[in-house]
Amino acid sequence: MATKRSKTIPSKKRKPIRKKQKRSSKAKKRNVWMFLLKLFAVGVILFFIFFMAVYLGFTGHVPSSNQLNDIKNPQASEVFSEDGRLLGRYYIENRSNVQFDEISPNVINALIATEDARFYEHRGIDEIALMRVLFKTILLQDKSAGGGSTLSQQVAKNLFPRNDLWMFSMPVNKLREAIIAYRLERIYTKEEILTLYLNTVPFGENIFGIEVAAERFFSKNPKNLTVDESAVLVGMLKANYSYNPRINPERSKERRNVVINQMIANGFLEEAQGEVFKEKPLGVKYRRISYNEGPAPYFVEMLKPELMDWCSNNTKENGEPYNLFTDGLRVKTTLNYDFQYFAQQSVKEYMENLQNVFDNHWGKTEPWRGKQNILKSAIRRSERYKKMNKAGKTQEQIDQAFSSKIKTTFFTHQGLKQVETTPLDSIKHYLRLLNAGFLAIEPSTGALKAWVGGIDFRFFKYDHVLSARQVGSTFKPFVYLAALEDGQSPFEYYPNEKKVYEDYQDWSPSNSHGEYTGYYSMEGALTQSLNTVAVDVMMKTGIEKTIETCRELGLEADLPEFPSLALGVASISLKDLLFAYATMLNQGTRVEPNYLVSISDNKGNKLVEYKREPATRTSLNGVNCQIVTHMLESVVNDGTGSSIRNTYQVSGDFAGKTGTTQNQSDGWFIGLTPELVTGCWVGAEDPGVHFRTIKYGQGAYMALPIVGKFYSKLYRDARYKTMQYADFPSLNNGLLADLAIPHYREFYDLDDKDNLIERIFAGKSKEEKLKEVKNPEKKEKKKVWEVIKGIFKKKK
């Protein structure tokens, strides 16, 4: 049987199958491409939707071109001295704007080389940089490859903070910034964008913009920054804290050199030049000018209410009132920057020394020993106590809180100190610190020239130029002026004797040195600051007449109608006291405080110019005022203020008066020169905290040195050296000759010696008289007793 052979398909018949397979493969490829095409189309559509969502502001506000055309950011208002130097700022953000031509080219070159080398080639978005980011930074994970943001995009980020959109934050914010950057490039020139960037970029320490940074770290204008200084500041932009030259100098120097290398690589520096700059030290000259710190923080704080009042009553072009903290106003004042510097340095130098003396004087003993009410009052004045008391905490809870340790920062004259202590010990620390106030004014105009309200505004907000304290013997010149106005003669002699004023609760004034002999002229009594004579003169003049004279001088403080008024028991501010002295120096013409010159907007357009108030002619006799000023010269030449000459070597016409209050609670010194009236107060916050002895507690020791240091620094400066050659207005030659009488006489009348002896030894036996004369421990002047001893022997 024949086998049935299977049919084989001819090769010609199999070819269609291969063609079908090829067609299937091609179809698959087409499907893949179609899928990719559709995916791409969906991606484009999604990106378009995403772009439009961002562009139209659905994911956060995108400023329009019109809004970008009028970019505004909070700008600090600045207070300047009379010669245009910065004294302080008011701000929400510590920012100050500059123009492009006010920025050093070194800053521009360092910035472009480091942050955006293709800045002048792109239109806000650098596609090449973006590709580098995509491949190197994202795909290859090379973190050193840099970012893709242009300076224009960074400006957008600085001006319009990013939104938090969870996982979409980065793409949304990047796209938003790219859109804003593109719009910025269409509106502003490249130079304007660079200026915008440098005015808005943060440099850490709550400062914004190149001007504040240049001032903070190098104490100079941005126009004067060198290559290495510019590299330091630009280097900080990568990480404000890590590359802060004050906090991390080594890191800052390394980063600076990286920036310099970038400047070399991009052709802004020759390699040899760069190597020179890389070898230089950082050269930081750190200076803080903020709300709390700077050359004149107490003065800036004093101005604030008046400036805020002006802002609320004046409007911008858009009808809105000015804002002191955001509108960048420029306030020019009468303060002299150099005078202010000399004043601050004098206070700082001497108060550190005086505090050491005070601490050694008391040792481990608390200055309020036996007066616990002082400590209790200080506790109740503290913010911690007030808050806890207001919250309804019990006394036990408050005491527990004040006894629990906390970490805090202490002020010391050697610098800030981080400590772990209790709030109670913190209060004790500040309670024993002495403080000071210093003021200098121009008597002819009333212009304020220097104002130091305390030792550190950050910790001591209370302004001691404005605070009222008992003025002590600085009040005595007004007593003698009132006497002259009343017709008393400056050639009269007054007995230096201890009196009891029976009509005033048997009150009896004492002299600080305990001497009660002889007779003094007005000038002699003022020179030696005798309490007995001052009270005697005022009682002859009349308390009411004395108060009337004080009112003419401009004093509006409460003046008690009591004999102790002559000794300065009235509480008067340093500012008011100095203007009263200025009236006397002006021969009875009163001037008003003058401190504001002008206010301009942030573009320099003057908004208001202040005119000083006209001087007022009082009823005071000009010659009498001159006589008292002449007496005050003797205080400095021969009396309690003589260390102005002896220790501080201040030459030229100078008048002054020391002042010390009861228990040495307040030390004062007023210094007068033809062109300046200066004054200083020194004491503790609580009058109960003070030196125990007159040696350290007197005004000549506590306050005079600060005034002496001020004038010493002032006259050593070549710019102000000629001030020491100015003269007080001259008295009539005849009157001047008549005033040249002895300050002191042993006897009122040399022919009346017997009556003198009877007055001194009244009611004493012969033995007592002999014993008193021979007593070597008597404090009376030796030569007086020698005369009396000789007379007594003859009488015996």
mmCIF file of all heavy atoms in Angstrom, residues 671-704:
data_model
loop_
_atom_site.group_PDB
_atom_site.id
_atom_site.type_symbol
_atom_site.label_atom_id
_atom_site.label_comp_id
_atom_site.label_asym_id
_atom_site.label_seq_id
_atom_site.Cartn_x
_atom_site.Cartn_y
_atom_site.Cartn_z
ATOM 1 N N GLY A 671 29.033 121.588 81.539
ATOM 2 C CA GLY A 671 30.190 122.276 80.980
ATOM 3 C C GLY A 671 29.758 123.251 79.895
ATOM 4 O O GLY A 671 29.007 122.897 78.979
ATOM 5 N N LEU A 672 30.248 124.498 79.999
ATOM 6 C CA LEU A 672 29.868 125.544 79.057
ATOM 7 C C LEU A 672 31.096 126.065 78.313
ATOM 8 O O LEU A 672 32.109 126.402 78.929
ATOM 9 C CB LEU A 672 29.219 126.728 79.776
ATOM 10 C CG LEU A 672 28.108 126.444 80.798
ATOM 11 C CD1 LEU A 672 27.683 127.737 81.472
ATOM 12 C CD2 LEU A 672 26.931 125.790 80.130
ATOM 13 N N THR A 673 31.011 126.122 77.001
ATOM 14 C CA THR A 673 31.993 126.805 76.178
ATOM 15 C C THR A 673 31.217 127.758 75.270
ATOM 16 O O THR A 673 29.988 127.638 75.151
ATOM 17 C CB THR A 673 32.809 125.810 75.335
ATOM 18 O OG1 THR A 673 31.925 125.030 74.527
ATOM 19 C CG2 THR A 673 33.626 124.885 76.225
ATOM 20 N N PRO A 674 31.886 128.717 74.621
ATOM 21 C CA PRO A 674 31.147 129.678 73.804
ATOM 22 C C PRO A 674 30.256 129.064 72.738
ATOM 23 O O PRO A 674 29.224 129.631 72.391
ATOM 24 C CB PRO A 674 32.272 130.515 73.179
ATOM 25 C CG PRO A 674 33.377 130.454 74.174
ATOM 26 C CD PRO A 674 33.319 129.060 74.732
ATOM 27 N N GLU A 675 30.619 127.859 72.244
ATOM 28 C CA GLU A 675 29.865 127.272 71.135
ATOM 29 C C GLU A 675 29.097 126.014 71.512
ATOM 30 O O GLU A 675 28.356 125.476 70.689
ATOM 31 C CB GLU A 675 30.821 126.954 69.978
ATOM 32 C CG GLU A 675 31.466 128.207 69.400
ATOM 33 C CD GLU A 675 32.431 127.896 68.260
ATOM 34 O OE1 GLU A 675 32.540 126.702 67.885
ATOM 35 O OE2 GLU A 675 33.055 128.822 67.748
ATOM 36 N N LEU A 676 29.271 125.534 72.738
ATOM 37 C CA LEU A 676 28.576 124.321 73.156
ATOM 38 C C LEU A 676 28.163 124.402 74.614
ATOM 39 O O LEU A 676 28.906 124.931 75.446
ATOM 40 C CB LEU A 676 29.466 123.089 72.984
ATOM 41 C CG LEU A 676 29.623 122.449 71.606
ATOM 42 C CD1 LEU A 676 30.539 121.250 71.708
ATOM 43 C CD2 LEU A 676 28.273 122.036 71.020
ATOM 44 N N VAL A 677 26.989 123.850 74.911
ATOM 45 C CA VAL A 677 26.586 123.597 76.291
ATOM 46 C C VAL A 677 26.464 122.085 76.409
ATOM 47 O O VAL A 677 25.733 121.444 75.654
ATOM 48 C CB VAL A 677 25.241 124.275 76.624
ATOM 49 C CG1 VAL A 677 24.779 123.875 78.019
ATOM 50 C CG2 VAL A 677 25.377 125.786 76.537
ATOM 51 N N THR A 678 27.215 121.516 77.327
ATOM 52 C CA THR A 678 27.224 120.064 77.495
ATOM 53 C C THR A 678 26.852 119.708 78.926
ATOM 54 O O THR A 678 27.028 120.511 79.843
ATOM 55 C CB THR A 678 28.615 119.483 77.184
ATOM 56 O OG1 THR A 678 29.558 120.092 78.063
ATOM 57 C CG2 THR A 678 29.021 119.747 75.756
ATOM 58 N N GLY A 679 26.371 118.508 79.106
ATOM 59 C CA GLY A 679 26.029 118.080 80.456
ATOM 60 C C GLY A 679 26.002 116.574 80.567
ATOM 61 O O GLY A 679 25.769 115.867 79.577
ATOM 62 N N CYS A 680 26.254 116.092 81.785
ATOM 63 C CA CYS A 680 26.255 114.650 82.021
ATOM 64 C C CYS A 680 25.634 114.356 83.381
ATOM 65 O O CYS A 680 25.902 115.059 84.364
ATOM 66 C CB CYS A 680 27.678 114.112 81.956
ATOM 67 S SG CYS A 680 27.796 112.328 82.206
ATOM 68 N N TRP A 681 24.811 113.323 83.416
ATOM 69 C CA TRP A 681 24.272 112.779 84.664
ATOM 70 C C TRP A 681 24.740 111.342 84.792
ATOM 71 O O TRP A 681 24.776 110.594 83.793
ATOM 72 C CB TRP A 681 22.742 112.796 84.663
ATOM 73 C CG TRP A 681 22.162 111.956 85.769
ATOM 74 C CD1 TRP A 681 21.874 112.342 87.029
ATOM 75 C CD2 TRP A 681 21.831 110.539 85.705
ATOM 76 N NE1 TRP A 681 21.389 111.280 87.763
ATOM 77 C CE2 TRP A 681 21.356 110.168 86.980
ATOM 78 C CE3 TRP A 681 21.921 109.579 84.708
ATOM 79 C CZ2 TRP A 681 20.956 108.866 87.258
ATOM 80 C CZ3 TRP A 681 21.529 108.279 84.993
ATOM 81 C CH2 TRP A 681 21.042 107.941 86.259
ATOM 82 N N VAL A 682 25.083 110.922 86.012
ATOM 83 C CA VAL A 682 25.460 109.531 86.268
ATOM 84 C C VAL A 682 24.791 109.077 87.566
ATOM 85 O O VAL A 682 24.761 109.814 88.553
ATOM 86 C CB VAL A 682 26.987 109.367 86.396
ATOM 87 C CG1 VAL A 682 27.336 107.940 86.825
ATOM 88 C CG2 VAL A 682 27.674 109.694 85.084
ATOM 89 N N GLY A 683 24.263 107.860 87.566
ATOM 90 C CA GLY A 683 23.651 107.283 88.761
ATOM 91 C C GLY A 683 23.066 105.927 88.438
ATOM 92 O O GLY A 683 23.114 105.467 87.299
ATOM 93 N N ALA A 684 22.510 105.277 89.436
ATOM 94 C CA ALA A 684 21.850 103.987 89.228
ATOM 95 C C ALA A 684 20.372 104.210 88.918
ATOM 96 O O ALA A 684 19.832 105.305 89.129
ATOM 97 C CB ALA A 684 22.003 103.110 90.470
ATOM 98 N N GLU A 685 19.721 103.176 88.429
ATOM 99 C CA GLU A 685 18.290 103.281 88.111
ATOM 100 C C GLU A 685 17.491 103.672 89.351
ATOM 101 O O GLU A 685 16.630 104.538 89.295
ATOM 102 C CB GLU A 685 17.775 101.963 87.548
ATOM 103 C CG GLU A 685 16.288 101.976 87.223
ATOM 104 C CD GLU A 685 15.768 100.616 86.789
ATOM 105 O OE1 GLU A 685 16.556 99.666 86.679
ATOM 106 O OE2 GLU A 685 14.547 100.503 86.577
ATOM 107 N N ASP A 686 17.795 103.048 90.462
ATOM 108 C CA ASP A 686 17.134 103.376 91.724
ATOM 109 C C ASP A 686 18.050 104.286 92.535
ATOM 110 O O ASP A 686 19.211 103.953 92.782
ATOM 111 C CB ASP A 686 16.843 102.102 92.521
ATOM 112 C CG ASP A 686 15.867 102.353 93.656
ATOM 113 O OD1 ASP A 686 16.210 103.158 94.549
ATOM 114 O OD2 ASP A 686 14.795 101.737 93.665
ATOM 115 N N PRO A 687 17.574 105.466 92.963
ATOM 116 C CA PRO A 687 18.418 106.390 93.738
ATOM 117 C C PRO A 687 18.962 105.781 95.020
ATOM 118 O O PRO A 687 19.943 106.290 95.584
ATOM 119 C CB PRO A 687 17.465 107.554 94.042
ATOM 120 C CG PRO A 687 16.414 107.490 92.994
ATOM 121 C CD PRO A 687 16.242 106.034 92.692
ATOM 122 N N GLY A 688 18.342 104.703 95.495
ATOM 123 C CA GLY A 688 18.822 104.058 96.709
ATOM 124 C C GLY A 688 20.108 103.275 96.506
ATOM 125 O O GLY A 688 20.721 102.821 97.474
ATOM 126 N N VAL A 689 20.520 103.108 95.252
ATOM 127 C CA VAL A 689 21.774 102.421 94.933
ATOM 128 C C VAL A 689 22.804 103.484 94.599
ATOM 129 O O VAL A 689 22.654 104.215 93.618
ATOM 130 C CB VAL A 689 21.588 101.446 93.753
ATOM 131 C CG1 VAL A 689 22.905 100.787 93.382
ATOM 132 C CG2 VAL A 689 20.539 100.397 94.086
ATOM 133 N N HIS A 690 23.859 103.587 95.413
ATOM 134 C CA HIS A 690 24.814 104.680 95.237
ATOM 135 C C HIS A 690 26.109 104.383 95.988
ATOM 136 O O HIS A 690 26.193 103.424 96.766
ATOM 137 C CB HIS A 690 24.209 105.996 95.740
ATOM 138 C CG HIS A 690 23.642 105.899 97.125
ATOM 139 N ND1 HIS A 690 24.417 105.803 98.270
ATOM 140 C CD2 HIS A 690 22.340 105.850 97.554
ATOM 141 C CE1 HIS A 690 23.647 105.726 99.330
ATOM 142 N NE2 HIS A 690 22.377 105.735 98.934
ATOM 143 N N PHE A 691 27.122 105.216 95.770
ATOM 144 C CA PHE A 691 28.359 105.127 96.550
ATOM 145 C C PHE A 691 28.070 105.522 97.997
ATOM 146 O O PHE A 691 27.159 106.310 98.270
ATOM 147 C CB PHE A 691 29.420 106.074 95.979
ATOM 148 C CG PHE A 691 30.108 105.556 94.741
ATOM 149 C CD1 PHE A 691 29.819 106.089 93.490
ATOM 150 C CD2 PHE A 691 31.055 104.549 94.828
ATOM 151 C CE1 PHE A 691 30.465 105.629 92.354
ATOM 152 C CE2 PHE A 691 31.705 104.075 93.695
ATOM 153 C CZ PHE A 691 31.409 104.614 92.453
ATOM 154 N N ARG A 692 28.893 105.016 98.902
ATOM 155 C CA ARG A 692 28.700 105.333 100.320
ATOM 156 C C ARG A 692 29.454 106.583 100.752
ATOM 157 O O ARG A 692 29.187 107.129 101.819
ATOM 158 C CB ARG A 692 29.158 104.146 101.174
ATOM 159 C CG ARG A 692 28.251 102.940 101.102
ATOM 160 C CD ARG A 692 28.836 101.745 101.823
ATOM 161 N NE ARG A 692 29.965 101.178 101.081
ATOM 162 C CZ ARG A 692 30.556 100.043 101.398
ATOM 163 N NH1 ARG A 692 30.133 99.350 102.445
ATOM 164 N NH2 ARG A 692 31.559 99.574 100.688
ATOM 165 N N THR A 693 30.415 107.029 99.945
ATOM 166 C CA THR A 693 31.235 108.170 100.345
ATOM 167 C C THR A 693 31.201 109.262 99.285
ATOM 168 O O THR A 693 31.020 108.988 98.092
ATOM 169 C CB THR A 693 32.699 107.742 100.559
ATOM 170 O OG1 THR A 693 33.231 107.278 99.305
ATOM 171 C CG2 THR A 693 32.789 106.628 101.603
ATOM 172 N N ILE A 694 31.406 110.495 99.741
ATOM 173 C CA ILE A 694 31.409 111.641 98.833
ATOM 174 C C ILE A 694 32.615 111.601 97.899
ATOM 175 O O ILE A 694 32.588 112.164 96.805
ATOM 176 C CB ILE A 694 31.394 112.967 99.640
ATOM 177 C CG1 ILE A 694 31.069 114.157 98.727
ATOM 178 C CG2 ILE A 694 32.715 113.177 100.369
ATOM 179 C CD1 ILE A 694 29.664 114.165 98.214
ATOM 180 N N LYS A 695 33.669 110.898 98.304
ATOM 181 C CA LYS A 695 34.878 110.817 97.483
ATOM 182 C C LYS A 695 34.546 110.295 96.090
ATOM 183 O O LYS A 695 34.999 110.836 95.072
ATOM 184 C CB LYS A 695 35.912 109.912 98.156
ATOM 185 C CG LYS A 695 37.161 109.686 97.314
ATOM 186 C CD LYS A 695 38.124 108.724 98.007
ATOM 187 C CE LYS A 695 39.341 108.442 97.127
ATOM 188 N NZ LYS A 695 40.276 107.489 97.771
ATOM 189 N N TYR A 696 33.777 109.209 96.030
ATOM 190 C CA TYR A 696 33.409 108.621 94.740
ATOM 191 C C TYR A 696 32.046 109.086 94.243
ATOM 192 O O TYR A 696 31.782 109.054 93.040
ATOM 193 C CB TYR A 696 33.394 107.096 94.846
ATOM 194 C CG TYR A 696 34.726 106.491 95.192
ATOM 195 C CD1 TYR A 696 34.872 105.675 96.313
ATOM 196 C CD2 TYR A 696 35.843 106.717 94.407
ATOM 197 C CE1 TYR A 696 36.095 105.097 96.643
ATOM 198 C CE2 TYR A 696 37.076 106.149 94.718
ATOM 199 C CZ TYR A 696 37.197 105.357 95.841
ATOM 200 O OH TYR A 696 38.405 104.800 96.159
ATOM 201 N N GLY A 697 31.179 109.491 95.152
ATOM 202 C CA GLY A 697 29.799 109.794 94.771
ATOM 203 C C GLY A 697 29.552 111.203 94.289
ATOM 204 O O GLY A 697 28.457 111.522 93.839
ATOM 205 N N GLN A 698 30.549 112.087 94.376
ATOM 206 C CA GLN A 698 30.344 113.479 93.963
ATOM 207 C C GLN A 698 30.345 113.606 92.440
ATOM 208 O O GLN A 698 30.930 112.796 91.724
ATOM 209 C CB GLN A 698 31.433 114.360 94.555
ATOM 210 C CG GLN A 698 32.844 113.992 94.120
ATOM 211 C CD GLN A 698 33.883 114.868 94.754
ATOM 212 O OE1 GLN A 698 33.873 116.073 94.585
ATOM 213 N NE2 GLN A 698 34.788 114.249 95.520
ATOM 214 N N GLY A 699 29.694 114.658 91.962
ATOM 215 C CA GLY A 699 29.608 114.891 90.525
ATOM 216 C C GLY A 699 30.956 115.054 89.866
ATOM 217 O O GLY A 699 31.147 114.678 88.699
ATOM 218 N N ALA A 700 31.931 115.611 90.616
ATOM 219 C CA ALA A 700 33.266 115.796 90.065
ATOM 220 C C ALA A 700 33.940 114.472 89.757
ATOM 221 O O ALA A 700 34.834 114.402 88.906
ATOM 222 C CB ALA A 700 34.126 116.607 91.042
ATOM 223 N N TYR A 701 33.540 113.402 90.433
ATOM 224 C CA TYR A 701 34.124 112.081 90.198
ATOM 225 C C TYR A 701 33.254 111.247 89.256
ATOM 226 O O TYR A 701 33.768 110.500 88.424
ATOM 227 C CB TYR A 701 34.308 111.328 91.522
ATOM 228 C CG TYR A 701 35.102 110.061 91.379
ATOM 229 C CD1 TYR A 701 36.481 110.075 91.449
ATOM 230 C CD2 TYR A 701 34.469 108.836 91.150
ATOM 231 C CE1 TYR A 701 37.227 108.903 91.300
ATOM 232 C CE2 TYR A 701 35.192 107.663 90.998
ATOM 233 C CZ TYR A 701 36.574 107.707 91.076
ATOM 234 O OH TYR A 701 37.300 106.550 90.914
ATOM 235 N N MET A 702 31.930 111.362 89.384
ATOM 236 C CA MET A 702 31.028 110.499 88.609
ATOM 237 C C MET A 702 30.758 111.027 87.199
ATOM 238 O O MET A 702 30.741 110.257 86.242
ATOM 239 C CB MET A 702 29.701 110.330 89.346
ATOM 240 C CG MET A 702 29.813 109.472 90.596
ATOM 241 S SD MET A 702 28.341 108.458 90.874
ATOM 242 C CE MET A 702 27.108 109.681 91.253
ATOM 243 N N ALA A 703 30.531 112.335 87.054
ATOM 244 C CA ALA A 703 30.051 112.868 85.782
ATOM 245 C C ALA A 703 31.066 113.736 85.047
ATOM 246 O O ALA A 703 31.144 113.696 83.816
ATOM 247 C CB ALA A 703 28.766 113.665 86.013
ATOM 248 N N LEU A 704 31.822 114.533 85.793
ATOM 249 C CA LEU A 704 32.766 115.452 85.148
ATOM 250 C C LEU A 704 33.723 114.747 84.192
ATOM 251 O O LEU A 704 34.007 115.272 83.100
ATOM 252 C CB LEU A 704 33.547 116.227 86.218
ATOM 253 C CG LEU A 704 34.567 117.258 85.732
ATOM 254 C CD1 LEU A 704 34.685 118.407 86.723
ATOM 255 C CD2 LEU A 704 35.948 116.639 85.510
#
